[in-house]
Amino acid sequence: MTPEETKRLLDRLARIEGQVRGLRNMLEDERCCEDVLTQLLAVRSGLESASLLILEKHLGDCVLRDSSIDDATAARLRETLKLWSRHASPAG
């Protein structure tokens, strides 16, 4: 990863870490379920964003590196992954 990509990911993880600490405090303070659920959703969204950063990097550096796929097709594939990640719901 480039230094900029690493910084983006580390910043995102630091934000997630703070949100998880906030969740713990919310539970200790016996905050209402809706507030806790909202914070859980924010954490999940942050993790999904971090995962997407890693997935995009893996796609570019590992999957498509020696591929015969042209740049336009690779770009469409990346956009499809972004679209999917926005609309995918976790299994449960």
Side-chain angles (χ1 to χ4, degrees):
M1 295 181 86
T2 66
E4 295 81 19
E5 291 168 328
T6 300
K7 181 173 178 359
R8 279 180 50 210
L9 183 58
L10 290 173
D11 288 348
R12 190 171 307 269
L13 292 175
R15 193 170 329 127
I16 293 165
E17 187 177 10
Q19 289 172 320
V20 171
R21 276 193 307 271
L23 269 168
R24 182 182 192 110
N25 293 335
M26 291 172 80
L27 291 172
E28 290 170 350
D29 295 342
E30 298 182 5
R31 295 276 298 272
C32 75
C33 295
E34 287 181 13
D35 291 347
V36 173
L37 286 170
T38 298
Q39 188 67 9
L40 281 168
L41 290 171
V43 171
R44 185 178 75 186
S45 177
L47 286 170
E48 288 171 354
S49 295
S51 297
L52 185 58
L53 287 172
I54 296 294
L55 181 59
E56 288 173 344
K57 187 70 176 163
H58 174 67
L59 182 65
D61 290 353
C62 303
V63 176
L64 298 176
R65 171 181 270 169
D66 298 322
S67 172
S68 61
I69 295 176
D70 62 80
D71 290 343
T73 301
R76 285 189 9 234
L77 180 56
R78 285 185 183 92
E79 287 303 313
T80 300
L81 283 173
K82 285 181 186 178
L83 178 65
W84 175 82
S85 71
R86 285 187 210 118
H87 298 288
S89 60

